Amino acid sequence: MSERPEYNPDEDPQQRMETIGNAFESQEYERAVKDCAEAITKWSREGRQDAALELAQKIEVYRPQIAEAQPELLNAFDTKLAEAYLYAGDSENDNLAGAEERYQRILETKLTEVPEKGELPETERRKYSEVFHALDRLGDVAFVSGEYQEAGERYADAIGKRDEFADDPNEQGPLACATYGCAASAFMAGNIENAQRLSKEAMDKLEGIEDKEVLLRDNIQALQEAINRYNSPDFSQHERVLEKLDESVRQTGGSGGGVKRINFFELFVEAEKEAEENEG
C-alpha cells in the first residue's frame, strides 16, 4: 500500500480530488472513504459546496466495489455523499432530491438491521446512531425544501426510533436536536402552540449537556424568542413574516447544514423588517 500523503487543508480542491480518486482506483477504500469524508465535511462548511458535490459525484462510481470489498464502509460513504448533496441544495436546483435519494438508500439497507435495545450490545450502539442520523437528515431535507409538515413527521420518526436508546449519553444531543426540528417545523407551519411546547421539550432534553451543545442551546433559545415575538400584543405581521421566513429558508437551502444551525430569531427580525418595508 502506498504511503498516505499528509492532509493539507489549504490544498487545491482539484488536487485533493485527484489524490482521493487515486486512492479509490488503487482499492485503498478505507483510506479513500476517510479522506473523502474529511474533504466533503471541510468544503461543505467552508462555503465550497460545489467542490464537495463535484467530489461526491466523481467517487460515487466506486460504490459497487466498496459494497463488495468492504461493505462495513458503505454507511460512512453514503452518509458523506448525501451530505454533499444536502449542503449544495436549495430552491434553485435538484440537489435536495439527490440528498433525499441517498439518505433513503442508507435506511433501506441499514434500518432493518437495528435490533431491539435489549438485544444490542453496548459497544454496538454507536453504529446504529449513524442510521438514526440519516433519519434526522431526512427531516432537514424536507425542512429546507419548505415541506414543514413532512419535516415534523420525519423528526418525530427519528425521535421515536431513538427513544429506545434514550439512556445512551451519545443520543441525548441528537434527541434534543430532533425535538428542536419538530418545534421549528411547527413554527414554520404556523402551529405556534405546538412550537412553544416542543421548544421547551428540546431544551429540557439538553439538561446536563448544555455546554457540549452550545449552538443547539442558543438556537433553541432563539426560536423561543421568535415565538415570543410572534405572540406579542404589538406584533401584527403574522402571515407576511411567516411567508418571508419560508422564502429565506428555501433560498438558503441546505448550505447552512440543516435546522440545527438556523437562528430563527435573526431570521424573524429580518423578515419582520422586510415585511414592514414592503407594507410601507
Side-chain angles (χ1 to χ4, degrees):
M1 184 179 291
S2 60
E3 184 178 353
R4 178 181 175 183
E6 184 178 349
Y7 178 64
N8 178 3
D10 298 319
E11 188 174 29
D12 178 75
Q14 293 302 321
Q15 275 187 298
R16 189 65 180 154
M17 288 183 210
E18 183 177 352
T19 300
I20 293 170
N22 289 338
F24 277 109
E25 281 294 322
S26 61
Q27 299 181 5
E28 299 174 53
Y29 296 128
E30 188 169 352
R31 163 196 165 182
V33 170
K34 184 175 186 299
D35 281 3
C36 80
E38 289 175 353
I40 287 174
T41 297
K42 176 178 171 56
W43 294 341
S44 294
R45 295 178 184 179
E46 287 181 344
R48 292 192 285 182
Q49 290 92 347
D50 289 347
L53 182 60
E54 182 180 350
L55 173 59
Q57 290 169 336
K58 284 182 175 179
I59 63 175
E60 192 161 16
V61 68
Y62 298 103
R63 190 179 187 276
Q65 291 95 308
I66 296 171
E68 183 176 349
Q70 289 183 263
E72 70 276 9
L73 298 176
L74 266 186
N75 198 33
F77 184 72
D78 284 341
T79 296
K80 284 302 165 181
L81 294 181
E83 185 176 300
Y85 277 87
L86 172 61
Y87 272 83
D90 57 37
S91 59
E92 301 298 318
N93 59 48
D94 60 359
N95 292 329
L96 291 174
E100 169 94 14
E101 177 185 346
R102 285 154 183 82
Y103 283 123
Q104 289 287 4
R105 186 167 65 194
I106 294 170
L107 299 186
E108 288 169 8
T109 57
K110 292 290 183 181
L111 195 57
T112 55
E113 300 176 13
V114 180
E116 296 296 323
K117 176 182 173 184
E119 302 173 1
L120 186 63
E122 190 74 27
T123 54
E124 290 288 298
R125 286 193 180 190
R126 190 61 190 167
K127 171 184 175 182
Y128 296 107
S129 73
E130 295 173 355
V131 178
F132 304 145
H133 175 72
L135 290 168
D136 297 331
R137 284 307 205 180
L138 282 169
D140 285 339
V141 170
F143 190 91
V144 299
S145 299
E147 302 294 335
Y148 305 116
Q149 181 174 342
E150 177 72 14
E153 291 171 358
R154 289 180 174 186
Y155 290 128
D157 187 31
I159 292 168
K161 287 186 170 64
R162 259 202 186 90
D163 270 344
E164 285 292 315
F165 306 89
D167 60 340
D168 185 340
N170 291 322
E171 295 305 318
Q172 194 173 349
L175 268 172
C177 188
T179 307
Y180 170 59
C182 285
S185 300
F187 179 66
M188 293 298 294
N191 193 335
I192 308 305
E193 185 176 342
N194 268 355
Q196 199 162 28
R197 174 181 59 80
L198 288 163
S199 66
K200 183 181 184 305
E201 287 182 14
M203 190 64 79
D204 289 344
K205 283 182 168 66
L206 280 182
E207 185 177 358
I209 62 166
E210 297 92 337
D211 293 341
K212 295 180 181 178
E213 291 282 359
V214 175
L215 176 63
L216 178 57
R217 179 201 65 199
D218 290 351
N219 282 343
I220 294 173
Q221 290 175 341
L223 175 60
Q224 290 174 330
E225 290 174 9
I227 292 169
N228 290 338
R229 176 60 186 150
Y230 187 95
N231 286 333
S232 64
D234 62 333
F235 180 72
S236 60
Q237 299 276 3
H238 300 88
E239 187 174 336
R240 287 191 179 90
V241 165
L242 285 179
E243 287 174 358
K244 294 295 180 184
L245 282 172
D246 174 61
E247 184 180 321
S248 178
V249 167
R250 289 172 186 263
Q251 287 178 347
T252 302
S255 63
V259 72
K260 179 178 180 178
R261 299 180 180 277
I262 298 177
N263 184 307
F264 281 94
F265 188 67
E266 289 181 359
L267 287 183
F268 192 96
V269 170
E270 292 171 6
E272 184 178 11
K273 181 179 179 182
E274 188 174 347
E276 289 173 348
E277 288 173 352
N278 290 343
E279 189 178 60

